[in-house]
Every structure is written in C-alpha cells, then in structure tokens.
Amino acid sequence: MNNTFNEVLAAIMSHRSIRKFKNEKLTPSQIETIVRAAQMASSSRFMQAYSIIGLTDSALKRELSEITKTPYIEENGHLFIFCADLKRLTVMGTEQEKQDMRMMLESSVFYQIAVTDTALAAQNAVLAAESLGLGAVIIGSVSKDIRRLDQMLALPEYVVPLFGIAVGVPDQQPEIKPRLPLEAVYFENRYPSESDLKERIEAYDHDMRHYYQTRSENNRDAGWSRSHIDLLKLQLPLSGMTEYLHGKGLNVT
C-alpha cells in the first residue's frame, strides 16, 4: 500500500462476511442510511433498476431460514432482499406504451442491466453498513426456492429477487480470506494464456488451503480451484431458474 491509503480503503480492505450477529435490531436511522447509500451507486442510464425489501416478519424469516438451512437469515439485525426491478420503469406508461416496451424489457440486455444495477447498489449497502461498525453477509441461497420467495414478497412481473443481505452487530471476528493474486485478476491489454493463468493460480490454491486449515472455525482441507471444479461438475438442475424468469416476463436463457 502507498500513502494514498485512507479510511475508505481501510474499510474496503478489511471486509469479511459476518454470519453471526448479536441480538440487536438495526435502528430506523441505520436502515435509512444503508438504503440511501445503496441508492448512490452508479446506474445504467440512471434506470435505478432494483428494489430493496426489508424482511421483518419473523414468520417469513423463519420459513426462509428453514428453506435455505441458513440460521443467520433469521438471526440478524435486519434482512434486506435485493431485487432486479424493471417493473417501476413501466408504471407511468399507458397500456399501449406498456405493450410497446415489452420487447426491450423482456430482453436479456435489460435483465443484465437490472442485475448489474442491483449488484452495485448492494456493494454500496455493505460498505455503508461496515462504516457504521456493523457486519454483513450477502446471501445467494435466498433463491433456493425462488418461487416461494417470490410469493412471500408479492413480486409482480419484471421483478426478480437476486440475493439477501443480513446486517447486524457482529458476534464473531473471522479472518479475512486471501483474495486471488493481483496478476490473476488484472491483465494489461489482453487475457493471458491458459498456461500463464494456471501458473498464477497454483500458489493461490496453496494459500487458500492453508487458510481453510488454520482459520479459527469451520476448518477444512480445500483449495480454491478444486472446490469450484467439484461444484461445476455436479450438473445441478438449473432449468427451473430459466423457467421462473420466463414466468416473470423475462426472455433469458
């Protein structure tokens, strides 16, 4: 690091996912600050194509926790569900205009815009929470039964839940996971050859295996590459997600 290091960078570089929280609810002021920070993220053509739903109903949180087998969905200071949202762009249009908008709205291009907008807003939300002394974890497993989640949140056409963010007062202090080496992520002018990329990742696999074996909890013998190779070899049934998105009016594959 050089002398340009500052408090913002310090917060970014000290990020770690928190999965255990003290029994303290976020204040309305904290919730508002996190959402407003999320809103300040960049947005393609200023569409702001996302919505954030705070899930506060204890019965719904318990059900979602049971579906996902994820206790921190229920046990946190506040649970945010981030949704890609193209519906809001249509509400001021006439019925004819809504029909005229369908081809664009239902394309993969606009779904990608909404997903990107949502992700950028979510990262701002996490950084805002951490700047307030809180912890957070992004939860992709909320979509394990996406149709049920859709029903829980009463989501209309063109609105898709992407992930949750649990926020709260940390009740753990896990070690920071080593990231990929810079040379395996940042390239000048062109992508490296597979042999060069493999060489850059081998040392990282060793570092990650050491991290998993020596961290303070949930130890395991695993590297980075092998974990993801094994995951992608599972050939999980993924067509259900495509069918769900088609049912939301989105023509993606």
Side-chain angles (χ1 to χ4, degrees), residues 50-77:
Y50 58 87
S51 287
I52 306 168
I53 298 176
L55 196 58
T56 58
D57 185 302
S58 58
L60 291 179
K61 289 178 71 174
R62 187 176 305 111
E63 180 181 355
L64 188 57
S65 179
E66 291 171 353
I67 289 171
T68 61
K69 304 294 188 290
T70 308
Y72 44 87
I73 282 181
E74 184 178 3
E75 301 162 1
N76 53 62

Side-chain angles (χ1 to χ4, degrees), residues 21-85:
F21 303 96
K22 294 182 179 179
N23 187 23
E24 299 180 31
K25 296 300 180 186
L26 266 60
T27 66
S29 176
Q30 288 173 320
I31 294 169
E32 180 178 345
T33 297
I34 290 168
V35 173
R36 289 192 181 279
Q39 288 187 270
M40 295 306 294
S42 298
S43 169
S44 180
R45 298 187 66 87
F46 205 48
M47 288 182 188
Q48 304 171 79
Y50 58 87
S51 287
I52 306 168
I53 298 176
L55 196 58
T56 58
D57 185 302
S58 58
L60 291 179
K61 289 178 71 174
R62 187 176 305 111
E63 180 181 355
L64 188 57
S65 179
E66 291 171 353
I67 289 171
T68 61
K69 304 294 188 290
T70 308
Y72 44 87
I73 282 181
E74 184 178 3
E75 301 162 1
N76 53 62
H78 197 75
L79 180 63
F80 301 89
I81 305 293
F82 278 69
C83 304
D85 185 351

Side-chain angles (χ1 to χ4, degrees), residues 232-248:
L232 294 171
K233 285 165 57 181
L234 290 176
Q235 299 185 16
L236 298 172
L238 303 178
S239 60
M241 176 61 76
T242 302
E243 293 166 1
Y244 164 77
L245 292 172
H246 288 171
K248 299 296 289 186

Side-chain angles (χ1 to χ4, degrees), residues 39 56 82-83 120 123-124 152 156 199 213 217 229 234:
Q39 288 187 270
T56 58
F82 278 69
C83 304
L120 292 172
Q123 185 61 28
N124 264 25
M152 287 181 183
E199 182 178 332
Q213 290 175 339
E217 54 184 297
I229 290 169
L234 290 176

Side-chain angles (χ1 to χ4, degrees), residues 131-224:
S131 77
L132 296 172
L134 302 168
V137 59
I138 296 178
I139 312 168
S141 63
V142 296
S143 62
K144 187 172 184 179
D145 186 347
I146 197 167
R147 288 180 172 80
R148 177 59 189 137
L149 181 59
D150 188 288
Q151 294 169 353
M152 287 181 183
L153 304 179
L155 299 181
E157 187 179 44
Y158 302 142
V159 181
V160 175
L162 298 181
F163 47 80
I165 301 181
V167 179
V169 178
D171 196 22
Q172 62 175 181
Q173 193 68 12
E175 295 85 355
I176 298 173
K177 282 183 180 179
R179 265 44 180 186
L180 283 159
L182 185 69
E183 61 270 20
V185 175
Y186 174 72
F187 320 120
E188 289 193 4
N189 300 319
R190 67 194 66 188
Y191 201 85
S193 68
E194 184 167 338
S195 60
D196 283 346
L197 191 58
K198 182 177 180 180
E199 182 178 332
R200 299 175 196 189
I201 290 174
E202 282 177 339
Y204 179 63
D205 278 332
H206 179 270
D207 290 344
M208 284 303 299
R209 185 169 288 106
H210 176 75
Y211 163 79
Y212 282 128
Q213 290 175 339
T214 60
R215 65 182 178 179
S216 56
E217 54 184 297
N218 192 26
N219 303 93
R220 54 195 172 100
D221 184 12
W224 181 80

